[in-house]
Amino acid sequence: MNTQALINTAQALVADNKGILAMDESNPTCNKRFAKLDIPQTEEAHRAYREMIVTTAGLGECISGAILYDETIRQTTSAGIPFVQAVMDAGIIPGIKTAKVVADATVRCFLRAVPAAVPGIMFLSGGQSAELASSRLNAMNVGFKSRAPWALSFSYGRALQQPAMEAWAGQDANVKAAQQALLQRARCNLAARRGEYSAAMEV
């Protein structure tokens, strides 16, 4: 995308007081949400749920852009219309997070601005899901660990604690399960710190 096209897209995304719909939760995150509601955790259930969202009449009156998940961007509605086309037909700009482009841009910026004498950079998870936070940290270490002068590590709050809180649910009987959930996230982020994390670890 050239600079002018990027400017035009950015301006369109903020026009008319509209906002962006982030429907890019990963399959593990989506499955966790489905499980709480007794919804089958299948690709077809994901597709049907996202079809319900993108075919909501009038959504484009309030939403300027939709961030799609990698699975979603290749799916179609029950009528055979690609989700990307359905989103555009609603007057919404489709997009997708690219979990490597973000990592590359972040570290390249640091390479230009952060002194080599700094021992390490600890990333916050912000509003990211636990899985996305691990994935992006991993991408940074895969791409730059061998040449970055400082450690690329994590200082996560919700991305470490949220799964444990959900497992605990305020019940003493759930303490062990919650501790296991916390340890699992800690291990995922240790692997990401080493550049060895993969989605398979989330199973």
Side-chain angles (χ1 to χ4, degrees):
M1 180 180 288
N2 62 41
T3 302
Q4 190 56 53
L6 182 61
I7 292 172
N8 293 343
T9 300
Q11 290 175 337
L13 288 172
V14 298
D16 300 324
N17 299 309
K18 296 180 183 180
I20 295 174
L21 170 63
M23 48 184 293
D24 60 328
E25 66 274 0
S26 66
N27 285 342
T29 296
C30 188
N31 286 339
K32 288 176 185 175
R33 294 173 180 170
F34 278 10
K36 290 181 180 179
L37 300 171
D38 294 323
I39 299 171
Q41 292 101 66
T42 64
E43 182 177 346
E44 173 54 25
H46 298 167
R47 190 208 62 75
Y49 171 64
R50 287 160 180 157
E51 176 175 357
M52 178 271 292
I53 293 175
V54 302
T55 59
T56 298
L59 194 62
E61 298 170 9
C62 312
I63 302 298
S64 59
I67 308 172
L68 307 179
Y69 182 57
D70 182 68
E71 177 186 65
T72 310
I73 208 163
R74 287 190 286 270
Q75 291 176 324
T76 63
T77 68
S78 55
I81 301 171
F83 277 157
V84 171
Q85 187 60 52
V87 168
M88 290 191 296
D89 289 346
I92 298 170
I93 300 170
I96 186 169
K97 283 181 182 173
T98 49
K100 188 176 184 306
V101 172
V102 171
D104 286 357
T106 299
V107 181
R108 289 184 190 282
C109 176
F110 289 158
L111 285 170
R112 292 192 297 267
V114 179
V118 172
I121 298 173
M122 319 299 278
F123 291 90
L124 305 180
S125 54
Q128 300 177 98
S129 68
E131 295 88 355
L132 184 56
S134 297
S135 179
R136 284 186 169 159
L137 177 63
N138 185 73
M140 288 187 283
N141 277 298
V142 167
F144 294 93
K145 186 172 185 177
S146 63
R147 52 195 172 111
W150 6 253
L152 299 171
S153 192
F154 59 93
S155 176
Y156 293 165
R158 185 169 63 178
L160 271 170
Q161 299 176 52
Q162 187 66 27
M165 183 183 295
E166 292 174 358
W168 174 58
Q171 302 297 317
D172 289 344
N174 297 335
V175 167
K176 192 166 188 178
Q179 290 174 333
Q180 290 174 339
L182 176 61
L183 183 59
Q184 167 66 7
R185 289 263 46 92
R187 285 173 172 165
C188 284
N189 289 306
L190 175 64
R193 174 74 176 79
R194 294 169 172 165
E196 298 171 358
Y197 169 83
S198 73
M201 295 182 66
E202 301 294 346
V203 177

